[in-house]
Amino acid sequence: MTIERYDEGVFDSGVGGLSVVRELLRSDPSQSILYLADQFHVPYGGRPLEEIRQFATGISRFLSANSCDAIVMACNVSSATALSIVQKKFPEIPVVGMIDGVSAKVANSGFQKIGVLATQGTVLSEAYPKIITAFKPTLDIYQVACPAFVPLVESGVLEGREVERIIAEYLHPLARKRCEAIILGCTHYPFLLPAIEKVARNLFSSPPVIFNPAESVRAQLSLLRDPAAVRHNEGRHLFLTTGDPSVLEHQLSLFLGKGDWKVGSAEWSGENLRRLAEIAAQPRA
Ligand code: DGL
């Protein structure tokens, strides 16, 4: 197997991190990405935080060993529980998480009442309230755990009456508190954004401003990167999953658009990941 280098190694429990990939490629389509979806373990959100730390560490070791120049934890619950651990364990490689950048942005936005939609693990970790109030202690932060969202997005169900009913249930407490801004604190949620905005227009007297942390991640990465550095692989990407590669192939065309995405498998062996055979996706008609 040829060793290829990648500008970024990006990971998530599943397809959520593709909302970050989409944002990264929007700013610079020439970069190359090695993506790892740990779909054998999706969803992460309801799992013990120690287990999530183990997954995040194993995946980061794998991405570092597979010649990535930087790691993007495109997973809020991993960022909430494992970012500093991974940064200490792998000092040779820059690691960017989802939470710090958007927290600084929201704290400086002038809004007082901030809602956070996130998975149970991220809510439990209290990472968003802690980091936002470290920037500005007087802000009011209201968190809502949304366990139904990740299974919906993983199965490609992004709109419809049932989706809107679930969204309304999660937005209600934030509407009652009159939140002025909402952070999408899980990378799966931006794929529900049109439906979230539609429901919010009906529920809030004045619709909240919605923050997607992926935009801040893109800004953080461009600060890290030497603009003169040579790009690897000329915009070719590889998407690996610990689940079923044919499912991921279908999800890629749904979430990133049709393309000849290169898909492959990785497998857990204890606390380590190993790469299995790759299949080249066929361009679709
Ligand atoms: N997309 C991830 C996050 O940002 C994990 C979601 C999950 O698997 O529960 O938190």
Side-chain angles (χ1 to χ4, degrees):
M1 193 178 287
T2 49
I3 300 290
E4 293 187 317
R5 292 196 70 86
Y6 295 91
D7 296 308
E8 280 108 34
V10 180
F11 78 87
D12 181 40
S13 60
V15 295
L18 298 179
S19 68
V20 180
V21 169
R22 185 178 63 176
E23 203 56 46
L24 297 179
L25 294 182
R26 195 176 286 163
S27 65
D28 179 3
S30 71
Q31 63 197 300
S32 57
I33 292 172
L34 173 56
Y35 187 86
L36 192 289
D38 188 12
Q39 290 174 306
F40 183 72
H41 291 127
V42 71
Y44 276 9
R47 291 176 179 273
L49 301 186
E50 187 43 46
E51 195 177 23
I52 296 166
R53 255 173 230 132
Q54 252 176 43
F55 298 154
T57 307
I59 297 169
S60 299
R61 185 181 301 112
F62 173 82
L63 294 175
S64 168
N66 277 276
S67 305
C68 296
D69 283 359
I71 293 175
V72 179
M73 281 194 181
C75 173
N76 287 260
V77 70
S78 299
S79 308
T81 55
L83 180 64
S84 58
I85 295 170
V86 166
Q87 284 171 332
K88 276 191 202 112
K89 250 194 160 76
F90 309 104
E92 69 285 358
I93 182 165
V95 187
V96 175
M98 297 304 301
I99 299 176
D100 295 354
V102 73
S103 296
K105 193 169 166 184
V106 166
N108 292 315
S109 64
F111 297 121
Q112 174 63 30
K113 296 182 177 209
I114 317 291
V116 179
L117 300 176
T119 63
Q120 287 151 299
T122 300
V123 168
L124 267 180
S125 75
E126 296 268 329
Y128 272 106
K130 281 182 198 153
I131 297 174
I132 295 171
T133 54
F135 288 110
K136 197 165 180 192
T138 53
L139 296 184
D140 303 317
I141 318 293
Y142 305 100
Q143 302 192 92
V144 178
C146 314
F149 278 176
V150 169
L152 285 175
V153 175
E154 284 291 317
S155 49
V157 180
L158 309 178
E159 57 184 18
R161 293 223 343 231
E162 180 59 8
V163 173
E164 287 172 24
R165 188 195 61 75
I166 294 167
I167 293 173
E169 192 181 305
Y170 294 148
L171 284 184
H172 243 118
L174 302 183
R176 270 202 303 273
K177 295 288 181 191
R178 298 177 191 279
C179 284
E180 305 150 86
I182 293 180
I183 299 175
L184 301 180
C186 167
T187 52
H188 283 76
Y189 301 176
F191 292 121
L192 292 167
L193 183 62
I196 292 174
E197 283 177 331
K198 182 176 172 197
V199 175
R201 276 196 296 275
N202 292 329
L203 277 187
F204 288 71
S205 43
S206 162
V209 173
I210 298 190
F211 285 83
N212 176 1
E215 290 165 19
S216 309
V217 167
R218 187 191 62 195
Q220 275 174 280
L221 267 178
S222 47
L223 285 179
L224 277 176
R225 193 182 290 130
D226 172 1
V230 179
R231 291 285 184 272
H232 304 303
N233 265 338
E234 292 165 27
R236 276 176 309 214
H237 318 295
L238 173 61
F239 296 87
L240 300 177
T241 177
T242 57
D244 180 344
S246 62
V247 172
L248 181 63
E249 196 185 329
H250 174 72
Q251 290 168 319
L252 284 167
S253 53
L254 180 65
F255 293 112
L256 291 185
K258 297 200 189 310
D260 53 349
W261 307 114
K262 199 171 161 201
V263 180
S265 299
E267 185 182 70
W268 285 100
S269 160
E271 291 190 0
N272 292 308
L273 271 175
R274 60 191 186 96
R275 193 159 147 180
L276 303 177
E278 277 151 31
I279 54 166
Q282 296 303 313
R284 286 161 201 275

